[in-house]
Amino acid sequence: MTSPQHTAPPPAPPADVPAGSVLSVRALRKDFTLHTIDGRVVDALNGVDLDVAPGEHVALAGTSGAGKSTLLRCVYRTYLSGGGAIWFRTSGGHLVDVATLSDAEIVGLRGREFGYVSQFLRPQPRRSVLDIVSSAGVARGMAREAARDAAAAALRQVDIAERLWDMHATVLSGGQKQRVNIAAGTIAPPRLLLLDEPVSALDPANRAAVLDLIARLEETGTAVLSVFHDLDAIERLATRVVVLGRGRVVATGRPGDILRDPNLPLEVAR
């Protein structure tokens, strides 16, 4: 007679992780070895702590080299971190440490619950614009037909002409690719959206349309962690600004207070 199987309970959440947070980064470290120079080790992140709640938009600020994009890539697991924890609360309410998940588990989270939008779109060859965007919706649980309808609405929102929807995304201009990237990142909004300079290549009209789309994510409860070098965009979208300097958090607060502090290391433009 076999004994009954018992499933081990999930680990208790760390005491300092807020009960409602979607993302909680703790003591995160990341360094790079400059093999092509002299083998020196450069610290990019040196003990970063931050939290992002549902519906909150946290913008990262700081000078070039402060670690902003590196932090986003560690959260998305494009980079492996060198220490610390990246706690993510799944749609099922479980806390998982992104830094220690297997590659297969990370791929699953990216498809369902993470979104990442950078200034570059690297589409697979021979995939149409509509297919790229609708596939993102399917990965997040939408039925295929509903995903195509939502993709069409998202593409209209970012002013991608319908005559381009069946074209391979590789032939689009840089600005068009960036708008397709935004449409795919925001369709069936994920629990966590990472934005790395998502409007850098856009003209003023398309920039305004994309910022409108990002602003509406607050209503969906999506947690957003972003990097902008645009003061107006940060002031419009962010609920909180976290300033990084030398790989550490040096300040955090409301955009109106942080962005006008002359003593903080910032590189933002109006």
Side-chain angles (χ1 to χ4, degrees):
M1 182 175 178
T2 59
S3 59
Q5 298 294 312
H6 297 285
T7 302
D16 64 341
V17 171
S21 68
V22 172
L23 177 69
S24 292
V25 175
R26 291 294 179 269
L28 187 64
R29 301 181 64 89
K30 175 64 180 175
D31 58 41
F32 297 96
T33 302
L34 304 182
H35 296 287
T36 59
I37 302 178
D38 56 8
R40 79 182 71 170
V41 176
V42 176
D43 288 329
L45 301 174
N46 193 20
V48 171
D49 293 346
L50 65 81
D51 299 290
V52 189
E56 186 177 26
H57 186 138
V58 175
L60 301 174
T63 58
S64 297
K68 304 182 295 294
S69 292
T70 297
L71 176 54
L72 292 186
R73 291 167 187 164
C74 284
V75 172
Y76 198 59
R77 263 283 292 276
T78 307
Y79 289 164
L80 290 174
S81 59
I86 305 167
W87 295 103
F88 174 74
R89 196 178 307 276
T90 69
S91 56
H94 303 298
L95 272 180
V96 295
D97 182 4
V98 170
T100 61
L101 292 180
S102 69
D103 290 346
E105 289 170 318
I106 286 296
V107 169
L109 277 181
R110 285 175 179 170
R112 298 189 313 271
E113 307 201 36
F114 279 18
Y116 182 88
V117 177
S118 74
Q119 55 189 303
F120 306 109
L121 173 67
R122 298 180 178 87
Q124 297 176 5
R126 295 178 296 281
R127 291 193 68 188
S128 72
V129 167
L130 186 62
D131 184 41
I132 288 171
V133 181
S134 62
S135 293
V138 171
R140 294 178 189 140
M142 298 184 75
R144 191 163 299 278
E145 193 60 36
R148 288 183 68 84
D149 291 343
L155 289 168
R156 291 189 183 98
Q157 173 69 32
V158 297
D159 198 27
I160 296 294
E162 192 166 348
R163 60 183 172 77
L164 301 176
W165 295 0
D166 291 329
M167 295 179 63
H168 296 162
T170 51
V171 305
L172 300 181
S173 70
Q176 288 169 333
K177 288 178 181 177
Q178 197 167 26
R179 283 180 279 148
V180 171
N181 212 8
I182 281 283
T186 55
I187 186 176
R191 286 181 59 73
L192 174 65
L193 182 60
L194 307 171
L195 301 175
D196 193 358
E197 285 296 315
V199 296
S200 60
L202 303 185
D203 59 63
N206 285 313
R207 175 185 174 279
V210 167
L211 292 181
D212 284 343
L213 189 60
I214 295 171
R216 289 203 294 271
L217 290 173
E218 183 178 352
E219 303 169 3
T220 71
T222 296
V224 180
L225 183 63
S226 70
V227 174
F228 289 94
H229 287 299
D230 181 330
L231 181 64
D232 290 334
I234 295 174
E235 286 190 311
R236 176 178 175 184
L237 298 174
T239 52
R240 185 159 49 92
V241 177
V242 172
V243 182
L244 298 181
R246 298 183 181 272
R248 294 180 178 272
V249 174
V250 297
T252 182
R254 296 179 303 178
D257 296 330
I258 294 293
L259 297 177
R260 286 170 175 75
D261 188 336
N263 298 313
L264 292 175
L266 300 176
E267 274 183 10
V268 288
R270 284 193 179 275

